[in-house]
Amino acid sequence: DLSDVSLALIGGHETTYREVKAELKQQHGLKRCVHNPPHSIASNSRNQIKDKISQCDLVITITSYVDHSVSKCEKQLKDTQMLAGECIRVSCHGKSGLVREVLQYFENAGGMSSLA
């Protein structure tokens, strides 16, 4: 059950974000999912990124599809303790891999007692 979870995806295609968000909401009750696309697609300042992801329980950076400046910004926010949740970096970039990473994270963190 992810009904209390806010998730942020950093990088990745818009289509992948929509598919991950839809599956996690429909199958696992995800509360909220935000997307910060690659810098080349949407120019974002550090404050805009912070406002978007600072209260998320989990921030996933898709390393294979993110601009270096956005990745660096997320790391700086983490290092200065401006993010409420955990940050992980993944190399997968498709829906099934990202869903698997989210579910595995919460299984290992003990936040989910059972998965459908």
Side-chain angles (χ1 to χ4, degrees):
D1 177 27
L2 299 175
S3 60
D4 290 332
V5 174
S6 291
L7 173 69
L9 294 179
I10 308 293
H13 291 282
E14 182 68 28
T15 303
T16 304
Y17 159 71
R18 283 193 311 265
E19 291 174 354
V20 167
K21 178 181 173 181
E23 180 164 331
L24 290 174
K25 280 188 175 227
Q26 292 170 1
Q27 301 293 322
H28 303 283
L30 181 69
K31 174 182 168 185
R32 178 173 168 256
C33 188
V34 297
H35 183 223
N36 197 81
H39 196 264
S40 58
I41 294 173
S43 180
N44 292 307
S45 72
R46 183 173 187 245
N47 283 337
Q48 287 173 314
I49 293 172
K50 182 180 84 121
D51 290 345
K52 206 176 220 185
I53 70 171
S54 65
Q55 296 305 310
C56 290
D57 301 300
L58 178 62
V59 176
I60 296 179
T61 301
I62 303 166
T63 59
S64 60
Y65 194 72
V66 68
D67 187 275
H68 181 71
S69 63
V70 175
S71 179
K72 182 178 175 184
C73 177
E74 174 266 327
K75 185 178 180 333
Q76 288 173 344
L77 290 169
K78 178 183 175 189
D79 290 347
T80 57
Q81 299 177 351
M82 299 185 102
L83 300 179
E86 293 296 318
C87 299
I88 61 172
R89 295 172 181 269
V90 299
S91 58
C92 60
H93 57 273
K95 178 190 87 162
S96 59
L98 289 167
V99 167
R100 184 173 48 249
E101 290 286 344
V102 170
L103 297 178
Q104 183 176 14
Y105 172 83
F106 286 105
E107 276 183 345
N108 292 339
M112 297 176 70
S113 56
S114 63
L115 295 174

